[in-house]
C-alpha cells in the first residue's frame, strides 16, 4: 500500500474505531512513517544514529541503499548459497518481513504447499527454500493476531499510539502483499508473464513492463543473475501493482500450480474493516480474533468503496489529495472527522533535532523508534518459537558486555572511533582509537560457548551509537588499522580468538589480562599507536585487561 491508504485511510480507520483526532493523527503518521524511516532518517551526517541511548532499527530500505548493498555486500557464501551473509539476510528479514511482508505460511497448519520447480540450472529446492516459502505473507495468520493482541501489553507506555500505527501498517500490508515474502527468493517471489489486468467488466489487458521503452505501463526491475537477487525481494518483480487500491490483476506465481488473482478493491476494504476491528479491541481491551471485521454501515462501505475504485491513478499524491478532500466533506452519523494534517516525512525528526537532549524521549521520533524496536522483538520471538526462523542479530549466542584497558603502561582503553577513509580512499569507515575514555563493547560468543574462556571465539561489537550499523570490528586487507564494518561481511576477519596473557587455560574472569587474536590473520589487537592495529608479537601493547559490565 502507499500513502493514501497508510495515512489517510488509517486515520479514518482510527477515527471510526473511536480514537480522537490527535490520537488518530499520531497513529496514521506512524503508519506512514514505516515507509519513510530508512537509514537516512536514523543517521546524522557522520552516519551515527541520532538516538544515542538505544540502537534504532530501520523500517524500510531505500532503492539506493539496496543497490549499494548489492554492490558492496553481495558475494558467494557457501553457508547460505545466496550471495548474502547470514547476518545480512537476517537484517533484510528484520526490515521487510517484520514491517511489510509478515510471515504466515509456517507450522503444521500452513495454508499453502509449494508447487513450483524443484531444480533449475544450478538451483534446487531445499530446506532453505522451504524456509523462504514458509515466510509467505498471508492475511489472518496467527502472527497477525499475536501482534495486535500484544498491544494490550503496552497500554501504559507513551509509545502506544506509535506502536499501534506501526502494526496497522503491517496489518494493512498483509492485504496488499499477500503471496509475497520479505526475503529475496526466486522460487517464492518470481512472477512469470503474462501479468494481466482484470477490469470490473471482466475484460483483460496484458501489463507491459519496463524498465524503459515506448508503451510501457509499469516498472519492473527485471530479473537477476542470482536466484536470491534483490529483484526477488517482496513484490519487486510485480512493480507497484500490489500497492494500487484500484487494481485487479492475475499472474503466474513461480511457487503456485495455478495463476494468482488479486482483487485490491475488495482486499483493501477488508483491510480497512480489520484495522477498525483491531483498534477497537485495543480501546476496549478485548481480544482480537482473526477473520473478524468491524461491521461497517452501508454508508461507510459505499463511500470508501466508491473512493477506492474512483481513484484510478498511479500517482499516490493525487489519490492522497482526493482522500483529504473526501474526508473534509464526509459525515458519519452526523459527524465530520475532517482530514489529518498534510503528512511531512521529516516533521518528527526535525522536532527531535530542535528538542533539548533531556526532553528528546518525549518526542514522536523517539517514541516511534521505540515502537519499531519492540515490534521487531515480538516478531523475532514468535518466528523463532513457532516457525524455527531466526532473524535476531546474534541468534543463540551468549553476549558479555565489557570494556578493555591496555596494559601497555599508558592509561588507555579501546575508545571512541574516528571516521576516516581507508588507504583505498572513497568511503569513510569507523576506526576505533586507543583513548583515555572507554567505549562499551559486546563480545558475542560465536562458537556456542556460554561464557568467555581461553580458546573461545568472539565477535567484537561496539555499543558506540555514532558508528551506526557498521559496528563489527575486523582486521582488513584495505588498512593497517582496524575498523568497524557490517557484521558477517567476512566472518573470519571479524572473529577473534581469546587467550589469557599469562598462557593459562580456563574461564576468563573480569580483571584478567587477555589477548584477542584475529581468526584469519592470527595477529593480536595492539594499541602501539593511536589507531588500533594488530601485531604478531606478545608485547604489553597486545595485552588488555577485561572489565565486565
Amino acid at each position: 500500500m502507499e500513502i493514501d491508504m497508510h495515512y489517510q485511510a488509517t486515520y479514518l480507520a482510527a477515527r471510526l474505531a473511536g480514537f480522537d483526532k490527535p490520537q488518530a493523527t499520531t497513529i496514521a503518521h506512524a503508519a506512514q512513517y514505516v515507509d519513510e524511516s530508512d537509514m537516512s532518517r536514523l543517521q546524522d551526517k557522520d552516519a551515527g544514529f541520532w538516538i544515542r541511548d538505544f540502537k534504532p532499527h530501520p523500517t524500510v530500505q531505500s532503492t539506493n541503499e539496496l543497490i549499494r548493498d548489492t554492490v558492496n555486500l553481495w558475494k558467494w557464501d557457501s553457508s547460505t548459497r545466496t550471495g548474502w551473509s547470514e547476518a545480512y539476510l537476517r537484517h533484510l528479514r528484520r526490515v521487510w518481513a517484520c514491517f511489510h511482508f509478515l510471515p504466515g505460511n509456517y507450522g503444521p497448519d500452513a495454508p499453502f504447499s509449494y508447487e513450483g520447480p524443484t531444480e533449475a540450472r544450478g538451483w534446487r529446492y531445499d530446506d532453505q527454500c522451504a524456509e523462504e516459502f514458509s515466510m509467505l505473507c498471508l492475511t489472518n495468520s496467527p502472527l497477525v493476531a499475536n501482534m495486535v493482541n500484544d498491544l494490550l501489553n503496552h497500554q501504559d507506555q507513551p509509545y502506544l499510539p506509535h506502536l499501534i500505527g506501526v502494526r496497522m501498517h503491517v496489518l494493512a500490508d498483509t492485504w496488499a502483499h499477500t503471496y509475497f515474502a520479505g526475503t529475496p527468493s526466486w522460487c517464492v517471489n518470481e512472477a512469470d508473464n503474462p501479468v494481466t489486468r482484470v477490469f470490473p467488466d471482466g475484460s483483460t489487458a496484458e501489463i507491459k513492463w519496463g524498465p524503459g521503452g515506448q508503451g510501457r505501463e509499469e516498472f519492473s526491475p527485471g530479473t537477476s543473475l542470482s536466484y536470491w537477487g534483490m529483484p526477488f525481494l517482496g513484490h519487486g518483480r510485480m512493480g507497484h501493482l500490489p500497492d494500487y487500491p484500484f487494481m485487479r490483476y492475475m499472474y503466474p506465481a513461480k511457487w503456485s500450480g495455478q495463476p494468482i488473482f488479486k482483487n485490491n478493491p475488495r482486499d483493501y476494504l477488508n483491510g480497512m474493516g480489520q484495522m477498525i476491528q483491531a483498534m477497537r479491541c485495543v480501546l476496549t481491551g478485548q481480544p482480537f480474533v482473526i477473520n473478524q471485521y468491524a461491521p461497517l454501515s452501508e454508508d461507510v462501505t459505499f463511500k470508501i468503496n466508491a473512493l477506492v475504485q474512483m481513484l484510478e491513478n498511479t500517482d499516490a499524491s493525487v489519490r492522497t489529495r482526493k482522500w483529504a478532500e473526501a474526508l473534509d466533506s464526509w459525515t458519519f452519523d452526523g459527524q465530520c472527522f475532517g482530514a489529518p494534517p498534510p503528512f511531512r516525512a521529516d516533521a518528527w525528526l526535525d522536532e527531535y533535532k530542535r528538542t533539548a537532549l533531556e526532553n528528546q524521549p518525549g518526542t514522536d521520533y523517539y517514541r516511534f523508534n521505540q515502537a519499531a524496536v519492540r515490534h521487531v522483538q515480538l516478531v523475532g520471538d514468535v518466528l523463532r518459537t513457532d516457525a524455527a526462523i531466526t532473524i535476531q542479530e546474534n541468534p543463540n549466542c551468549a553476549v558479555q558486555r565489557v570494556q578493555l584497558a591496555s596494559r601497555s603502561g599508558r592509561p588507555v582503553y579501546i575508545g571512541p572511533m574516528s571516521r576516516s577513509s581507508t588507504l583505498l580512499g572513497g568511503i569513510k569507515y569507523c576506526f576505533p582509537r586507543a583513548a583515555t575514555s572507554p567505549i562499551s563493547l559486546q563480545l558475542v560468543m560465536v562458537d556456542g560457548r556460554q561464557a568467555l574462556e581461553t580458546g573461545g571465539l568472539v565477535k567484537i561489537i561496539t555499543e558506540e551509537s555514532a558508528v551506526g550499523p557498521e559496528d563489527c570490528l575486523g582486521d582488513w586487507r584495505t588498512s593497517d588499522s582496524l575498523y568497524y564494518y557490517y557484521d558477517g561481511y567476512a566472518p573470519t576477519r571479524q572473529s577473534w580468538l581469546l587467550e589469557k596473557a599469562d598462557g593459562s587455560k580456563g574461564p576468563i574472569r573480569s580483571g584478567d589480562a587477555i589477548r584477542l587474536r584475529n581468526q584469519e590473520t592470527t595477529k593480536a589487537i595492539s594499541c602501539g599507536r593511536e589507531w588500533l592495529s594488530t601485531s604478531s608479537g606478545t608485547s604489553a601493547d597486545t595485552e588488555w585487561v577485561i572489565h565486565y559490565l
Side-chain angles (χ1 to χ4, degrees), residues 13 43 64 87 106 118 157 238 258 272 317 320 347 388 419 478 484 543 548:
Q43 297 175 305
N64 287 340
Y106 55 82
T118 57
Q157 298 299 328
M238 292 295 291
Q258 55 187 354
M272 278 283 292
S317 64
T320 299
R419 194 172 291 275
T478 52
Y484 299 110
E543 297 182 14
Y548 288 6

Side-chain angles (χ1 to χ4, degrees), residues 39 49 54-58 85-95 98 373 376-377 380-381 384 389-399 442 444-446 459 461-463 468-472 485-488:
M39 279 298 180
F49 290 119
F54 69 89
K55 185 177 180 180
H57 198 282
S85 70
E86 290 184 7
Y88 187 70
L89 274 176
R90 290 195 297 270
H91 173 72
L92 283 175
R93 291 175 175 185
R94 285 195 298 275
V95 175
C98 284
V373 168
V376 172
Q377 290 170 342
D381 289 345
R384 184 182 65 248
I389 295 173
T390 301
I391 65 171
Q392 282 85 353
E393 287 188 270
N394 294 295
N396 308 316
C397 292
V399 178
Q442 295 179 12
V444 181
M445 299 164 227
V446 297
K459 291 186 296 187
I461 307 293
T462 181
E463 292 188 349
E470 301 171 33
D471 57 4
C472 187
Y485 199 54
Y486 290 102
D487 182 6

Side-chain angles (χ1 to χ4, degrees), residues 381-451:
D381 289 345
V382 173
L383 290 180
R384 184 182 65 248
T385 301
D386 296 349
I389 295 173
T390 301
I391 65 171
Q392 282 85 353
E393 287 188 270
N394 294 295
N396 308 316
C397 292
V399 178
Q400 177 64 57
R401 297 180 65 244
V402 304
Q403 292 174 346
L404 296 175
S406 172
R407 292 188 74 193
S408 63
R410 296 179 295 146
V412 297
Y413 299 83
I414 292 184
M417 67 84 190
S418 181
R419 194 172 291 275
S420 181
S421 299
T422 67
L423 294 179
L424 297 180
I427 301 174
K428 290 189 174 182
Y429 297 102
C430 296
F431 291 82
R433 294 172 295 163
T436 55
S437 58
I439 287 294
S440 299
L441 306 167
Q442 295 179 12
L443 299 188
V444 181
M445 299 164 227
V446 297
D447 55 4
R449 301 178 197 233
Q450 296 303 301

Side-chain angles (χ1 to χ4, degrees), residues 143-211:
L143 188 46
V144 169
N146 200 315
M147 73 170 187
V148 174
N149 284 317
D150 176 69
L151 290 167
L152 299 179
N153 296 324
H154 304 268
Q155 288 280 32
D156 297 328
Q157 298 299 328
Y159 58 74
L160 176 64
H162 307 78
L163 186 58
I164 294 172
V166 167
R167 290 182 175 167
M168 291 308 99
H169 180 111
V170 178
L171 187 153
D173 268 359
T174 64
W175 291 92
H177 298 167
T178 310
Y179 308 134
F180 298 101
T183 189
S185 176
W186 169 78
C187 67
V188 178
N189 294 324
E190 171 67 308
D192 290 330
N193 286 315
V195 179
T196 306
R197 181 171 181 184
V198 181
F199 294 96
D201 63 4
S203 61
T204 62
E206 183 176 344
I207 298 289
K208 297 178 182 179
W209 294 101

Side-chain angles (χ1 to χ4, degrees), residues 96-340:
W96 295 102
C98 284
F99 292 101
H100 305 276
F101 298 86
L102 196 69
N105 196 43
Y106 55 82
D109 299 321
F112 292 97
S113 299
Y114 182 79
E115 299 175 352
T118 57
E119 290 185 330
R121 285 204 296 270
W123 171 90
R124 70 183 184 280
Y125 187 83
D126 57 11
D127 289 345
Q128 177 179 294
C129 297
E131 178 178 280
E132 294 161 4
F133 184 61
S134 72
M135 296 181 68
L136 206 65
C137 178
L138 299 175
T139 60
N140 287 300
S141 70
L143 188 46
V144 169
N146 200 315
M147 73 170 187
V148 174
N149 284 317
D150 176 69
L151 290 167
L152 299 179
N153 296 324
H154 304 268
Q155 288 280 32
D156 297 328
Q157 298 299 328
Y159 58 74
L160 176 64
H162 307 78
L163 186 58
I164 294 172
V166 167
R167 290 182 175 167
M168 291 308 99
H169 180 111
V170 178
L171 187 153
D173 268 359
T174 64
W175 291 92
H177 298 167
T178 310
Y179 308 134
F180 298 101
T183 189
S185 176
W186 169 78
C187 67
V188 178
N189 294 324
E190 171 67 308
D192 290 330
N193 286 315
V195 179
T196 306
R197 181 171 181 184
V198 181
F199 294 96
D201 63 4
S203 61
T204 62
E206 183 176 344
I207 298 289
K208 297 178 182 179
W209 294 101
Q214 294 294 323
R216 75 171 176 85
E217 296 177 0
E218 290 295 330
F219 172 80
S220 173
T223 187
S224 170
L225 296 177
S226 165
Y227 291 108
W228 293 273
M230 286 302 188
F232 302 127
L233 173 63
H235 62 76
R237 291 283 284 143
M238 292 295 291
H240 284 286
L241 294 188
D243 294 326
Y244 296 149
F246 56 83
M247 183 65 67
R248 299 172 179 83
Y249 62 102
M250 184 163 29
Y251 69 99
K254 183 66 69 176
W255 62 268
S256 177
Q258 55 187 354
I260 299 291
F261 173 64
K262 293 293 297 294
N263 184 335
N264 285 0
R266 178 198 62 201
D267 291 345
Y268 280 32
L269 194 62
N270 284 335
M272 278 283 292
Q274 193 167 48
M275 279 198 294
I276 297 168
Q277 177 72 10
M279 286 188 276
R280 284 180 179 169
C281 288
V282 174
L283 278 174
T284 61
Q286 298 300 308
F288 170 82
V289 180
I290 57 175
N291 290 306
Q292 290 188 6
Y293 308 89
L296 303 179
S297 68
E298 289 186 11
D299 178 52
V300 172
T301 301
F302 175 80
K303 286 175 178 175
I304 296 174
N305 207 22
L307 182 62
V308 166
Q309 298 196 59
M310 178 182 70
L311 298 180
E312 190 163 324
N313 193 307
T314 59
D315 187 336
S317 64
V318 173
R319 301 197 307 269
T320 299
R321 187 177 69 251
K322 294 296 185 182
W323 263 98
E325 292 171 356
L327 289 175
D328 276 336
S329 61
W330 282 350
T331 58
F332 301 92
D333 296 327
Q335 181 180 3
C336 180
F337 293 147

